[in-house]
Structures are given as structure tokens and as C-alpha cells.
Amino acid sequence: MRHFIPGKRLGIMLLSFLIGGFILNFIMQAASFGMDALSVLNWISQFYWLYVFGSLFFFFVLLAFAAVIPNVYAGSLLAFIACAILGIADYKKLTTTGEPLFPWDLMLVKNAQEMSKITKGMISPLVLVLAVVLIAGLIYLLCKLPKVRMGLALRAVFTVLSAAVITGFIMMVDGHSTLATSIHYQNIYWNQKVNYTQNGFLFAFTGNLKQNLMDKPDNYSKEAIAQIAKKYSALPDGSTSAAPAESPNIMYMMDEAFFDPTRLPSLTFSEDPLKFIHQADKNTPSGYMLSPEFGGNTANIEFEALTGLSMYFLKDGSIPYQQRIVKMSSLPSIVSILKDRGYRALAVHPFDETFYNRNKVYPVLGFDQFTTQKEMTNAERITPDGYISDMAAVKEAVRELDSSEQPTFLHLVTMQNHFPFVKGSNGPNTITVNGVKPERKDELETYVQDTKLTDEALAYLAQELKSLKRPTVVVFWGDHLPALSADIYTQAGWDTNPRLKHETKLMVMANFDIGKQPLGTLSPAFIGPTVFQLSGQKMPAYYKLLEKVKAELPGLSKSVLIGSSGVVTGLTAEQQDLLDDYRLVEFDMLEGDNYSQDLLY
């Protein structure tokens, strides 16, 4: 071991770090452009100062690691690999869900073991082999290179200098300083895809570090919330059904990545995978749920369904569970409403409890109990490699409802249909799909088999409802469309039809009469007031507001707006006023002083 002596070798080291910074920044930006080098070069030609400043940032990151970690080569290489992994994660998330990597996504690192199961099959064996070879080569190179250290004084200087520059960069971006503006940085938080492609991964990612969910409306005040509460409290309940003799159980079943695959045009199936659903939805309220997400971010659909708050008003890429709710002590929800009426509230999720911070968020929403894969009575999987089946999850929910001595709100979030769709993961495929590309046949048939299993679980649930003593209503919906290979949706012609890429099955079942009125297409935020309406429940003022919005814009999403007669391209004055009220209340509950908790509930 020897000390690194300032001089020529120091100059070579600094130059190598500088070049490494430019290369690393190029790699990070390539991830945001689908690994298209020409697109990166075009971006550099337009936003060269962003590229230069970003590259200098990475230079100081490499320098900091080299100074802090005793071995200069090992420190800088570790930093380079860590940053490159971020770029790869950004690329994989973009190709899977269409969204870039956000700072709050890194909270899932604590779920590394579960994430490895979820992403199994997404990376080809060849890539894995090449990665192993590359890592082995780097380790060999490190072993062969001389063990070079910096002197203590030089390490201290470089550490302080790097820390100062990195901190200054973050403050420059976060504070929208004059310098940031002069190099053409603009935080395009309302469209994160553009944010990442225009500003580059580094600037966009850094700009999101302290991102709040919403900006404060100009007219926000306690008086404004009080006026809204007065306006909607005066409205009638509007229930369409008589309340049953005793308070009914209410069960939510949010099914992972479930949609009706028979909606894909030009495909034929050897049998209907959704025999029960297609028969039942003629005799019970049913329709479609307009998901605010595609291919992932389950927690955001859950957030809407439980709170009645809408992703429509939140900044692009937001995940309220991870950014805000986990820090709160309470938040009004259907859970808290029903608990005030004597209900028991429990959640069931046959997976890890820490995903999306559910173990911390559920108590904030008011849940009494959270049953995960560890507590389930029968955590049955169809195969050892599969997730816990929908049938096992439904049986757990039925057992809880049947044993409860008080009215119960039960929120079930399933896992069976989560990607990747690897043939055999949920048993043999029993349905043949024709009309699909040969290279996608196994993937699509595997997904179709998964939906068949869900259909069978729902048929079982419908039968079990008849034997429950307490009136019970079940709302079933898919959280988002599955992250199938993109060309499957391209072949279907859905790339230009955001409505079809965000509509999943929605159906309500009950063991008492709730009619069979079609539901149309609803956002998950409106599920709460809808089930209250069907079961004859008294509406709080906030639900009356939601009912008014639902009457005008039942499908409220950034991707598409759905009105009572189809897609809406422009808002009327009445619709805009309703959305202004809705936005004001949502800000109050998420970012404001939460006057709504006392005034609207």
C-alpha cells in the first residue's frame, strides 16, 4: 500500500474522473431515451450546459468516493457502478410502466428480496451472464491494479470540496436559482416524461427530491373549505337503494393487473377465460374502472379508492403513500368513515407488508388489522414459484367476514396476477390464444390463464356470499392493465387510445338486492360513494361532492377525461367549478391544515 503523491499522477486521476463523469452522464441520459445514443447526442446539442453541469456533478461524485474510500480505484469504481445501476433501473421502469425513476422509488430498496421475485424473468439470461462476467472482470482488475491511497490532507480537501459542490448543485436545482435558469433548466413537474427527457435524468431526479404533491391554490383558506362544506352538506344523500336491516359488510377486492383480455381485438380464445364475470355482469352493477396508472404503481389506485382523493390533481409521478401519507398521523378515508359507524376495519394483502409502506399507511387510514402472507391461515400458491393465489386470498377474506361479530370493512389487495408472466408460474396454460405474435404467445396465454383463475376465485366468492349471515357487498376491480410486452398493445391499436389502456373490469356483487344498473366507467376515487349509494349508506358531505363530480366526470384521469356520454375534450364552467372545489379540498387534506376532517366528514 502506498500514498498517492500530488503531481502528474494526480492530474491523470482527475482527468480520468472528469471523463468518467461525462461518460456516466451520457449513460444516465441514454436510459431516459431508451438507450438510443443518437437521441442523447441530439439532446446534448440542444441542452449542452445541462450536460456539462451534470457531468461535473458526476465528476465530484467520483472524486468524493475516491477520497472517502481508502482505495482510489475501488471508491471511484463503486460510485460509477452505483450510478449506472440507477440508470439501468430508470430504463427498466420506463420500458415496463412508461414512467421514469423517481427518488421515492428508492424506498423499495428495503424490499430487495421481494423485488427480485417481482422482476424475475424481466432480464434475459444473456444480460445476467454478461453482468456477472463484467463484475468478475472489474474485481479482477481491482485486484491487479496497485493499491493507491491519497494522503489524509488531500482526502480531506477533496471530500469537503465534493460535498460543497454536490450540496450546492442540489440547492441550485431545488431553489430554481438564476444559474439553473440560465442553463435552461426548468422543473417540468406536471409532465415527468418531458421533465426527464428535456432536463436529463440528473436534473429531473434532483428536482424531485423535495417535490410536494400539490401546489397551494390561490384561494385556499379555512373559510373557503367551510363554504365548500356548507354547499355540499345541504345536498340530499341520493342513495338508489334502501339500506338493509343491519349494517352491511363492505369488501373491496382490488385485483392485481386484472383486465378483460378478450377486449384485445383480433385475438381468439379456445374458451372464455372469464365465464363467470361475463355472465354475472349482466345481473349486477358493473362497468369499468379508469385506472390512473398503467402497468404498475398499485398504491395510487388504492389511494384513490380508500380516500376518494384523485391522482388527477397531483404532480406527475407522485406516490402519496410514500411521499406524504406515511408522515401523517391520520387521513380521512372510507375506513375512518365506517369505523365512526361501528365497523371493524381490516386489510388483507398476500405479500410483504412493507411494500409501499402499507404497514405504516394503513394505521393512518384507520385500519385495525393488517393480514399479510405471514399471517394468512392458508397461504396457498398454485406452484412454488407463483404468488399466493386469488382463491387463497378470497378464502382468507371470507373466513374473516364469516367470523366477525360486527359489520366489517375488508380491503383485499391480491398478488396472483403480478408480472412477470412466466409460463407455468400458475400451473399449465389451458387456454389457447390465436392471433398473437409467436414470440408473445406464451406470455399472453400465461396472463389469460391467470385471469381464468381470478374468474374462478370470484365465482367461489359469489357462492360464499350466499352463506354469509350479514348483508355483504363486494366491489371487485383490477388496479391497472398488466405490464405485457408493449407490442401486444401496439398490435391491438391501443397506443393511441388511452381509455382502453386504462380501463379495467369493475363489478359489484352482494347477497342482497342492489339492482343491476350499469356503472359505466368510473375512477377509483368514486368507488366509495358508489358503494354507499348502492347499500343505502348515509353520505358525508365529502362524498356528496364526489357524487357531483362523478355525475359530470365519472372518469377523471390525466390520460383521458370521461363524461356521461364519452370522452371529454373541454370542460364546461360547471365542471371546472366542481374540479376547483375538489382540488381545494384535496390540497387541504394532503398539504394544508386538514380543516376538511371536521367540516366535511
Side-chain angles (χ1 to χ4, degrees):
M1 191 71 67
R2 65 185 183 184
H3 290 292
F4 197 102
I5 302 173
K8 184 177 181 181
R9 288 176 181 170
L10 176 60
I12 293 172
M13 182 195 77
L14 294 176
L15 179 61
S16 65
F17 287 174
L18 184 61
I19 294 171
F22 276 83
I23 293 172
L24 192 53
N25 198 19
F26 191 94
I27 293 171
M28 302 296 278
Q29 190 57 16
S32 296
F33 283 111
M35 294 303 178
D36 184 345
L38 288 178
S39 295
V40 180
L41 292 173
N42 182 56
W43 173 76
I44 293 172
S45 69
Q46 297 180 65
F47 301 100
Y48 45 87
W49 282 118
L50 291 178
Y51 179 61
V52 169
F53 272 68
S55 300
L56 290 174
F57 174 88
F58 284 117
F59 161 75
F60 281 103
V61 169
L62 296 175
L63 184 61
F65 273 73
V68 171
I69 295 175
N71 189 320
V72 169
Y73 296 123
S76 56
L77 185 59
L78 180 63
F80 192 96
I81 292 173
C83 293
I85 289 173
L86 276 182
I88 294 168
D90 179 44
Y91 170 72
K92 291 306 296 183
K93 189 183 177 198
L94 271 169
T95 55
T96 302
T97 69
E99 283 195 336
L101 188 74
F102 301 111
W104 42 91
D105 291 327
L106 300 184
M107 294 180 183
L108 292 176
V109 170
K110 66 180 183 295
N111 302 109
Q113 183 177 350
E114 291 80 11
M115 286 297 293
S116 65
K117 179 180 176 65
I118 287 175
T119 56
K120 182 180 178 182
M122 291 178 62
I123 303 174
S124 71
L126 177 60
V127 171
L128 289 174
V129 170
L130 290 174
V132 170
V133 171
L134 178 61
I135 292 171
L138 290 172
I139 293 173
Y140 175 79
L141 182 62
L142 276 177
C143 293
K144 289 296 182 182
L145 286 170
K147 304 299 186 292
V148 177
R149 287 180 180 269
M150 289 185 193
L152 184 60
L154 193 58
R155 285 174 59 191
V157 170
F158 283 158
T159 300
V160 171
L161 177 62
S162 299
V165 171
I166 291 170
T167 302
F169 178 87
I170 294 171
M171 293 175 65
M172 174 191 74
V173 174
D174 182 57
H176 308 288
S177 66
T178 304
L179 178 58
T181 304
S182 69
I183 61 175
H184 305 296
Y185 166 71
Q186 178 191 8
N187 188 359
I188 313 172
Y189 59 81
W190 59 90
N191 189 331
Q192 291 287 355
K193 292 179 186 177
V194 175
N195 194 22
Y196 276 69
T197 53
Q198 177 172 313
N199 293 312
F201 176 89
L202 177 63
F203 277 85
F205 190 88
T206 304
N208 283 323
L209 285 174
K210 293 185 178 180
Q211 193 70 275
N212 57 359
L213 295 174
M214 301 176 69
D215 289 329
K216 183 178 179 179
D218 293 335
N219 59 333
Y220 175 67
S221 66
K222 184 177 182 179
E223 291 71 26
I225 299 299
Q227 281 295 110
I228 290 172
K230 182 179 179 181
K231 181 197 307 185
Y232 294 101
S233 295
L235 296 177
D237 267 353
S239 295
T240 58
S241 302
E246 57 181 335
S247 297
N249 295 323
I250 297 175
M251 175 179 164
Y252 277 5
M253 182 175 173
M254 185 172 75
D255 207 79
E256 172 61 36
F258 184 91
F259 88 116
D260 184 348
T262 65
R263 299 187 84 196
L264 291 167
S266 75
L267 300 181
T268 58
F269 302 80
S270 59
E271 67 174 87
D272 183 359
L274 307 183
K275 293 175 183 175
F276 169 75
I277 290 175
H278 287 156
Q279 181 61 37
D281 67 5
K282 301 171 186 174
N283 303 308
T284 195
S286 65
Y288 296 100
M289 193 276 290
L290 186 69
S291 178
E293 303 290 347
F294 172 82
N297 286 342
T298 294
N300 287 346
I301 299 89
E302 184 176 358
F303 159 77
E304 284 206 14
L306 292 175
T307 66
L309 302 173
S310 177
M311 294 298 299
Y312 178 77
F313 302 113
L314 304 189
K315 294 178 180 179
D316 236 18
S318 296
I319 303 181
Y321 272 21
Q322 299 189 162
Q323 292 173 261
R324 184 71 184 100
I325 301 179
V326 71
K327 304 171 186 175
M328 301 173 74
S329 58
S330 66
L331 179 67
S333 68
I334 188 172
V335 187
S336 60
I337 295 170
L338 292 174
K339 282 192 66 178
D340 287 343
R341 300 179 183 185
Y343 274 70
R344 171 181 175 236
L346 63 138
V348 178
H349 180 46
F351 200 56
D352 184 85
E353 72 274 12
T354 63
F355 243 73
Y356 290 116
N357 289 309
R358 284 189 177 97
N359 59 324
K360 297 178 181 177
V361 167
Y362 282 167
V364 174
L365 298 177
F367 282 103
D368 301 306
Q369 176 184 319
F370 181 20
T371 300
T372 69
Q373 58 187 358
K374 293 185 291 189
E375 295 87 24
M376 286 182 66
T377 304
N378 180 22
E380 181 182 338
R381 303 169 194 266
I382 297 168
T383 72
D385 292 333
Y387 298 102
I388 292 173
S389 70
D390 281 4
M391 183 66 80
V394 164
K395 287 181 178 179
E396 182 73 22
V398 169
R399 187 186 66 78
E400 289 283 4
L401 292 175
D402 191 43
S403 63
S404 182
E405 296 181 357
Q406 64 188 107
T408 299
F409 174 72
L410 189 147
H411 174 56
L412 170 61
V413 181
T414 72
M415 275 298 291
Q416 174 192 280
N417 303 333
H418 204 291
F419 73 89
F421 306 108
V422 179
K423 186 176 181 179
S425 58
N426 281 321
N429 294 339
T430 61
I431 299 178
T432 302
V433 181
N434 292 314
V436 65
K437 294 178 180 179
E439 63 269 26
R440 303 298 180 216
K441 191 173 178 66
D442 281 350
E443 177 187 8
L444 190 55
E445 288 182 350
T446 297
Y447 176 74
V448 169
Q449 179 67 25
D450 291 348
T451 64
K452 178 183 178 181
L453 295 171
T454 298
D455 186 72
E456 292 171 355
L458 267 183
Y460 170 84
L461 176 58
Q463 191 63 35
E464 290 298 307
L465 281 178
K466 298 175 183 178
S467 63
L468 291 177
K469 296 176 183 178
R470 182 178 292 275
T472 301
V473 58
V474 176
V475 188
F476 168 86
W477 73 92
D479 58 353
H480 53 71
L481 268 71
L484 296 166
S485 295
D487 55 356
I488 292 175
Y489 296 112
T490 301
Q491 179 185 337
W494 287 11
D495 288 345
T496 55
N497 193 329
R499 178 173 184 171
L500 291 176
K501 282 193 80 171
H502 289 82
E503 278 186 335
T504 67
K505 191 59 191 171
L506 171 65
M507 186 167 73
V508 184
M509 304 186 297
N511 57 5
F512 61 96
D513 183 21
I514 55 171
K516 53 182 179 180
Q517 183 72 23
L519 297 175
T521 297
L522 295 182
S523 286
F526 304 133
I527 291 176
T530 299
V531 75
F532 271 37
Q533 187 182 53
L534 290 172
S535 58
Q537 298 262 0
K538 180 176 173 58
M539 297 264 196
Y542 179 59
Y543 273 18
K544 293 178 184 179
L545 164 61
L546 295 186
E547 274 292 299
K548 290 289 288 184
V549 179
K550 186 181 81 168
E552 290 290 328
L553 295 166
L556 186 61
S557 167
K558 290 181 180 181
S559 58
V560 62
L561 292 174
I562 307 294
S564 56
S565 57
V567 175
V568 173
T569 55
L571 296 174
T572 65
E574 181 183 1
Q575 290 169 340
Q576 188 61 62
D577 287 344
L578 281 169
L579 291 183
D580 288 344
D581 287 348
Y582 194 0
R583 178 185 287 106
L584 206 62
V585 171
E586 183 154 340
F587 174 83
D588 176 59
M589 288 202 277
L590 289 177
E591 300 280 7
D593 295 311
N594 203 5
Y595 303 121
S596 302
Q597 186 154 2
D598 294 327
L599 296 172
L600 282 158
Y601 291 86

